[in-house]
Amino acid sequence: MFFIEAILPLSLPKTFTYSVSESEFQFIKKGMRVMVPFGKNKMYTALVVDLHQIPPTLYEAKEIHQILDEKPVVNEFQMAHWKWISSYYMCNIGDVYRGALPSALILESETLLSQKSGAFVDESQLSDDEFLIYEALQHQSSLKVNDVMGILNKKKVFPVIQQLISKNILHLEEEVVEEYKPKLVKYIRLHENYSSEEKLIQLLDELKGAKQKDLVLQYFQLTAQEKKPISVKQLLSVSSSTSNSIKSLVDKSVFEEYYIQEDRVNFDANKKEQNLILSGAQQQAFDEIKTSFETKEVSLLHGVTSSGKTEIYIKLIEEFLKHNKQILYLLPEIALTTQLVSRLTAYFGNKVAVFHSKYSNNERVEVWNQVLSNSEKAQIVIGARSALFLPFSNLGFVIVDEEHEPTFKQQDPAPRYHARDAAIVLANSHQAKVLLGSATPSIETYYNAHSGKYGLIEINERFGKAPLPEIELVDLKDAYFRKKMKGHFSLKMIDAMTEALSLGEQIILFQNRRGFSPVLECMTCGNVPQCPNCDVSLTYHKFKNQLRCHYCGHSIAKPTNCHVCSSVDLTTKGFGTEQIELELAELFPTKNIKRMDQDTTRGKYSFERIIDSFKNREIDILVGTQMLAKGLDFDNVSLVGIMNADTMLYYPDFRAFERSFQMMTQVAGRAGRSDKKGKVIIQTYNPLHSIIQQVTLNRYDEMYKEQLYERKIYNYPPFYKLIRLTLKHRDFEKLKEGAMWLYQVASQNLDIPVLGPEEPAISRIRNEYIRTIMIKIPQSKPLGTTKKTIQKILNSFDVIPQYRTIKVTVNVDFY
């Protein structure tokens, strides 16, 4: 008897055993995918992690359905890394597998319905719904369950399908489809009859139409210049003719068409020969990094905004490329990858591959295969946090840029990993070096660098000795009192904007809230429309003229009168990016104003569109949320405005001050990035607040010492590790009881601080009530055993019948 152990892409903590024949056992290797039956009639793509000859004791092993790969798609490094993620972040190995592989590689059975052949159907006996499905099957051989939902226009279609199966009209087939198709590009070449010169001259004489003659001549010109195959698209763009003329030449067998399989993402076009010359400060930092790598595995590069960190990265990448190593470059935000890709491909051309969630399935599989085969085309991989899971076999260097960004932490669904920490562990298994870069490092990283765990390299001047922007504070209390406000803009801000625009410079405005305004209030009775499913007020979106909940997506049309007292006196409180955009349109009617937030960047290339048109100076003023705070680089921005700095400061989170400092410093760093001195205006009700003062004077060290001191007193990271348990259930009383039980058992079994059960600020989302419990683990306690104890407590919680329906999620290092 021969068996394999396989991971299924389901949220299950263990692997499953399947039986295989001897020949399959010889062929299968760890890391291959196999199709396996699971449950009554579902098929899943499972991943082989082990081969053995021990039959399972608790169940009879089923046979596998088929083997999907000829060679492994996942390597040993990855499997070890997945195990680490699943144990450290306390999630199931199945979740990690599902999160790690591009979804095109994990196929689930798409249930197909087809008509039984030769069955007699009495159409008069069918109900309307059944007849619609039957009719559809006369036109096509099979339907997916999703198609049936579309035809009947309702969600619950299974009863109808069951009826048709029982009447012997339909049968189900669970079929697996391969999704990945290589992109084929149409090329063109001269027919071999015309290979000699006489034939060519004869051909040109024979061609009557001027267009066709022109096409053939253009083709010759291109072949002389290019020395490589000519694609139809290329020929059409050079000559001003249509595809019809090419088609008629193909019909006359002057040209032949043929196809070449081409990669979807090709960067050769961007490559330019460039020699990078580092400035003195950069060169010094570069040398220090190399020295620190001799003794330390991880180093932190702490350089002020716009100090030219990217150039140093490029130089380091060159060093590692000489040794034929793979390089992983992690970025916090997809918006950043678009800018960086163009900078890196300018140096490395087609060695750069990009991997993030806005890419289509096929593009992601392509990058996966290139990394797996250690191909030239993917020696440098740029990506958001998911790029961490690619099958590297020869990783030499990992860069984590803007390492302080909260977006590196995955929140939902599991695995809830932190890309920076997971990358350090991954690099360690490959014996690779890691460089963390940031102008405002997170306090934990800076603490590690100061305590000697990481190397520390600092750059204190901007590239090209550009001056740091001058930061001006506007006291909103005073401005409102002296009537020096116009809408949400202080007169100082308007003056600065007018001046910048008159010089033809660009402006970025930052407001960390999308929509028009967060609250719509009745002035007569004070009623505020609430979301029926969540514990929040609805946000007003003016462009769609509706009120929306940002948590569950519930929306209603904007009411004309109050739903409680029918008064028509409704007013908006607070302001979001939409409102600023409208106010700007009144203040500067001739200027081009755009906003960049979640509502305007939903498509695959929407980031590129906005960033490119801003870089090409088509947009004068860009309004945006925190997407703008990331390390984007625009050389013509001279003014940055922060509309209200207080919204970030008073957020109920132990990192609120650290985050506010980072965000304001990063936004301010977008100003004056070339030789101009930039200006930043921060509007606040509390200009004397220590954090705002530290941003103004650019005192990172002061902020770090203050925050570290507070964290030590109140038992927060880096001195304690935090684990947050979130419980959700629709029944308030049951949740309250369950949370209390969990809290009491945890505090009895763990001799460390357990806090809770607490209602979070938003205590109900999508009709589920929420409670949280926080566990603090001091540095002196062993992490592994504590986590095992917590896992045991959760397992026993799961066995209690009345609490089984309560959803518990574990979030390790949730900050």
Side-chain angles (χ1 to χ4, degrees), residues 386-428:
S386 53
L388 192 71
F389 290 116
L390 286 166
F392 295 103
S393 50
N394 185 19
L395 189 64
F397 184 39
V398 180
I399 299 171
V400 184
D401 199 10
E402 309 293 342
E403 61 83 30
H404 61 276
E405 279 295 337
T407 31
F408 275 129
K409 171 78 174 148
Q410 162 112 346
Q411 294 300 345
D412 277 306
R416 297 179 175 79
Y417 62 97
H418 194 299
R420 175 195 61 209
D421 303 345
I424 291 173
V425 173
L426 176 71
N428 188 24

Side-chain angles (χ1 to χ4, degrees), residues 278 280-296 298-302 312 316 435 455-460:
L278 299 182
Q282 284 175 320
Q283 188 60 47
Q284 188 186 341
F286 175 72
D287 297 336
E288 282 177 30
I289 291 170
K290 282 172 72 175
T291 327
S292 108
F293 276 159
E294 286 165 17
T295 51
K296 301 267 197 297
V298 183
S299 292
L300 166 66
L301 173 61
H302 176 207
I312 300 177
L316 286 162
L435 182 63
L456 174 64
I457 296 96
E458 310 219 13
I459 309 179
N460 295 321

Side-chain angles (χ1 to χ4, degrees), residues 10 24 54 195 226 257 358 449 536 558 566-567 687 764:
L10 302 168
E24 287 174 330
I54 313 153
S195 48
E226 294 277 334
E257 287 180 341
K358 286 257 168 103
V536 287
K558 184 195 171 195
S566 302
S567 153
R764 184 174 60 115

Side-chain angles (χ1 to χ4, degrees), residues 180 197 347 412 499 523 552 561 706 739 766:
Y180 175 66
E197 263 187 44
Y347 293 98
D412 277 306
E499 186 186 342
M523 293 308 280
C552 69
N561 52 8
E706 252 176 51
R766 293 196 177 90

Side-chain angles (χ1 to χ4, degrees), residues 123-156:
E123 294 183 6
S124 60
Q125 296 297 309
L126 300 178
S127 72
D128 293 352
D129 282 352
E130 290 166 7
F131 181 71
L132 280 172
I133 298 175
Y134 171 69
E135 196 182 34
L137 281 169
Q138 304 311 307
H139 300 294
Q140 58 192 84
S141 57
S142 59
L143 292 171
K144 285 185 200 158
V145 176
N146 299 352
D147 301 339
V148 176
M149 289 180 183
I151 294 169
L152 301 181
N153 200 6
K154 56 183 179 187
K155 287 264 169 73
K156 293 193 171 156

Side-chain angles (χ1 to χ4, degrees), residues 448-686:
N448 280 334
H450 266 282
S451 59
K453 189 175 169 186
Y454 300 168
L456 174 64
I457 296 96
E458 310 219 13
I459 309 179
N460 295 321
E461 60 174 65
R462 282 187 147 189
F463 181 68
K465 302 245 186 322
L468 280 165
E470 142 196 19
I471 300 181
E472 229 181 281
L473 298 178
V474 173
D475 184 348
L476 287 175
K477 283 197 301 275
D478 187 56
Y480 273 112
F481 178 68
R482 293 169 189 269
K483 305 267 191 298
K484 288 190 172 175
M485 293 291 287
K486 204 166 180 184
H488 291 102
F489 292 88
S490 56
L491 294 182
K492 209 178 231 181
M493 178 89 90
I494 295 177
D495 292 344
M497 288 171 72
T498 319
E499 186 186 342
L501 289 170
S502 66
L503 293 171
E505 292 162 352
Q506 291 166 298
I507 300 171
I508 290 181
L509 293 180
F510 175 79
Q511 165 62 6
N512 212 358
R513 185 177 264 144
R514 61 195 174 101
F516 181 83
S517 78
V519 176
L520 189 74
E521 188 181 33
C522 165
M523 293 308 280
T524 313
C525 70
N527 174 54
V528 174
Q530 298 283 333
C531 172
N533 315 320
C534 310
D535 216 359
V536 287
S537 59
L538 296 171
T539 306
Y540 173 42
H541 284 247
K542 185 146 189 173
F543 285 97
K544 293 189 171 162
N545 199 26
Q546 56 174 208
L547 301 178
R548 288 189 75 114
C549 168
H550 283 178
Y551 288 88
C552 69
H554 170 83
S555 63
I556 57 171
K558 184 195 171 195
T560 46
N561 52 8
C562 169
H563 290 168
V564 179
C565 68
S566 302
S567 153
V568 287
D569 193 5
L570 299 176
T571 146
T572 58
K573 292 271 168 81
F575 62 109
T577 44
E578 275 186 21
Q579 192 164 345
I580 293 177
E581 191 183 8
L582 288 169
E583 283 186 18
L584 283 172
E586 286 175 18
L587 290 169
F588 304 104
T590 56
K591 300 296 177 198
N592 186 5
I593 299 153
K594 281 277 181 289
R595 85 193 140 92
M596 181 163 156
D597 54 29
Q598 234 184 324
D599 303 316
T600 58
T601 53
R602 298 222 183 256
K604 174 172 167 185
Y605 291 120
S606 44
F607 283 124
E608 280 95 324
R609 272 192 217 106
I610 296 178
I611 287 174
D612 283 349
S613 51
F614 195 66
K615 222 177 160 53
N616 302 338
R617 309 190 182 184
E618 294 159 22
I619 300 176
D620 300 308
I621 307 175
L622 187 60
V623 184
T625 56
Q626 55 195 10
M627 291 179 182
L628 291 176
K630 322 297 190 217
L632 295 167
D633 184 9
F634 303 113
D635 46 10
N636 191 36
V637 174
S638 66
L639 176 68
V640 169
I642 296 177
M643 298 304 296
N644 188 346
D646 307 331
T647 43
M648 305 177 267
L649 281 174
Y650 303 119
Y651 194 72
D653 172 25
F654 73 96
R655 319 186 65 139
F657 284 2
E658 178 195 349
R659 290 267 158 86
S660 306
F661 179 89
Q662 289 167 343
M663 201 173 281
M664 284 191 259
T665 307
Q666 289 286 350
V667 175
R670 303 304 123 229
R673 292 181 72 91
S674 49
D675 43 7
K676 313 179 186 124
K677 178 158 185 170
K679 187 169 189 178
V680 181
I681 293 184
I682 300 179
Q683 300 191 152
T684 167
Y685 284 101
N686 192 351

Side-chain angles (χ1 to χ4, degrees), residues 101-114:
L101 259 73
S103 46
L105 292 175
I106 309 183
L107 291 167
E108 290 173 20
S109 41
E110 299 234 68
T111 314
L112 282 179
L113 312 169
S114 54

